[in-house]
Amino acid sequence: MTYQAEYEKSINQPEVFWAEKAADIPWYKRPTRILGKDEQGTDRWFVDGELNTCYAALDYHVENGRGDQIAIYYDSPVTGIKARLSYSELRDQVATFAGALAAKGIEKGDRVIIYMPMVSEAVVAMLACARLGAVHSVVFGGFAPHELAVRIDDAQPKAIVSASCGIEVQKVIPYKQMLDKAIELAGHKPDFCVLLQREQETASLIEGRDYDWQSLVADASPAPCTPVLATDPLYILYTSGTTGKPKGVVRDNGGHAVALKYSMKAIYDMNPGEVFMAASDVGWVVGHSYIVYAPLLAGCSTIVYEGKPVKTPDCGAFWRLIEEYKIKAFFTAPTAFRAVKKEDPEGEALKKYDISSLKNLFLAGERLDPPTFHWLKELVGVPVVDHWWQTETGWAIASNQMGIEPREAKAGSATVPTAGFNVQILDSKSHQMPAGEQGSVCIKLPMPPGCLTTVYGDHGRFRNSYMSTFDGYYLTGDGGYIDKDGYVFIMGRTDDVINVAGHRLSTGEMEEIIASHSGVAECAVIGINDELKGQLPVGLVITKDGYEGTDEALEAELAALVRSEIGAVACYKQTIVVDRLPKTRSGKILRNILRSIADGKEYQVPSTIDDPASLPEIEAIMAENNIGVATA
Ligand code: COA
Ligand code: AMP
């Protein structure tokens, strides 16, 4: 089938299209109602289907002759450990851990937070929850205790699964201490915690609350798979929104399994038995979808890599992995390859490895900047695929579809929409923009299977954030255009979300933290371009009258404050003290103008501006700090 025929069918006959794709998943009860609405009026896929995602990802393969195939290669340059788990071994470990959780009272619908480094046990814990019909919520290890506490209070987990420590290049990150602090900060307390003790650090356990992973599984008997409805939640994954409170993206079981299985062939051209690697972290959506669920649903082998693109031990790490595990498709964030390029612009390290197994290289998480695209294309000699997606969608909205009909790539474009995503560019009055003109990137409803179904515990926020700006459309929050050939170009967020080293962060949240400093009267945080990390946050701060600290001291204090509240991943370092910020007459800071200045883009001065003279002043200050000038 050509791409065009496939795509048109998915848009014009969505129920027929997805019913066919659903046949690829083992159901306990095959769905007959393909697309329906829930009581809140949200589109829901496969409403009467019943399945278990863990069964589809593991037991089904074992029962169908794939038991001896490697499911997970664990590769940890930071500890020197390499291990492999076959589908049978992984199924057994998952069933036993699920049994251990069940014995401690975890049941269908209970929430379990997983706060772990990149070890196979993180995957085991996720799949064990899925096996029981419990809802996991994985929290990225780079987040500080306060962020974990916010998620504990929102998800109200019965249990938390964690580890004694994580390892970041040469630093040991004390996960258990952060977990204890988070539980202390949170109002909600879990019934119990399970701790994986690692050699690098042994955590002390709190009697009656904490259980050692090994001891717990030693006494456990394997749990069977619990059938769930396709529409039952599989997981909650928190992502940055425009306020301090992260949004709990809720993913269902059925739509998720069908969409991910479909994507493995259509987008990544993967067949059962082949090796797929996503160099990300299970704490992010890329990790959920393409380290864990999609490769296993498709009967592929996946890699759990506890390392970095560089420094573990060097910039040849990715090439070594591709050679060693004969990886067919490799997926990471552009920032990771920018780190490699910075250390090895000529690609010398690649010469030491045979990467002939590699057929396609996939990039996502942020825009693939054209220089990195060209560098990679020339160096690697296989198609370089920029594909665009979000935590909310769970899989790519636009991509070059390597398993259907590969196209000539265009630098800076995520190529064409994937099945079921009716991507349209709208102006502020909901009119479609002509080809080549930028607007708000929206998706006409219904969204295909696999996308978020609500924001956990706050359906109103789901409606307000995504569904109410343009009637009948999902608002992606990205700006961009579609060219005359139908190629989608995503140019950046139109809201207060920034992307730092492939990590999605909220400037609104940083502002709330900065504003809590006793010397700060007002502030605005914006993302500025950064050659390595894509964007970096910068704070523009007005100090309180009578504040006597120096600008340098304030900068250091604010950096420490953001680090302690959000975590090291926020990378907040730079603060610029200003006398005033451009505002509307009603007192709203004109953040979109600040963003335009920072990006060196032209902007229109709104008629509602209170103090037009503040603009040249802010431009001059930014220019003094080398912000916005290079691209102006
Ligand atoms: N646990 C604890 N701390 C973490 C962490 C984790 N899982 N991940 C990152 N951090 C810490 C880092 O140690 C660093 O701390 P420091 O300020 O004390 O040095 C800080 O957070 C910033 O990390 P990062 O932004 O990742 O910068 P880096 O310089 O360590 O590495 C890259 C830069 C580009 C190599 C790295 O960001 C990378 O590999 N990015 C890929 C991103 C990715 O996979 N995104 C997922 C979407 S596809
Ligand atoms: P996350 O939810 O962390 O996956 O971040 C999603 C956001 O990252 C999107 O809304 C985009 O702003 C950005 N993004 C992800 N992939 C791409 C891409 N290929 N091109 C441009 N922007 C991207």
Side-chain angles (χ1 to χ4, degrees), residues 484-524:
K484 59 178 181 6
D485 302 321
Y487 280 56
V488 179
F489 289 75
I490 300 300
M491 305 309 289
R493 300 285 305 193
T494 56
D495 56 12
D496 297 333
V497 167
I498 58 170
N499 205 309
V500 179
H503 308 137
R504 175 164 158 183
L505 299 163
S506 160
T507 54
E509 179 174 16
M510 292 187 209
E511 286 175 9
E512 284 176 25
I513 293 166
I514 289 170
S516 72
H517 186 282
S518 59
V520 173
E522 271 187 283
C523 69

Side-chain angles (χ1 to χ4, degrees), residues 395-426:
W395 63 294
I397 309 164
S399 180
N400 204 345
Q401 288 153 59
M402 307 313 287
I404 300 178
E405 189 191 1
R407 300 189 156 202
E408 192 59 42
K410 294 190 189 185
S413 168
T415 321
V416 286
T418 47
F421 286 104
N422 188 347
V423 181
Q424 299 191 7
I425 312 293
L426 303 182

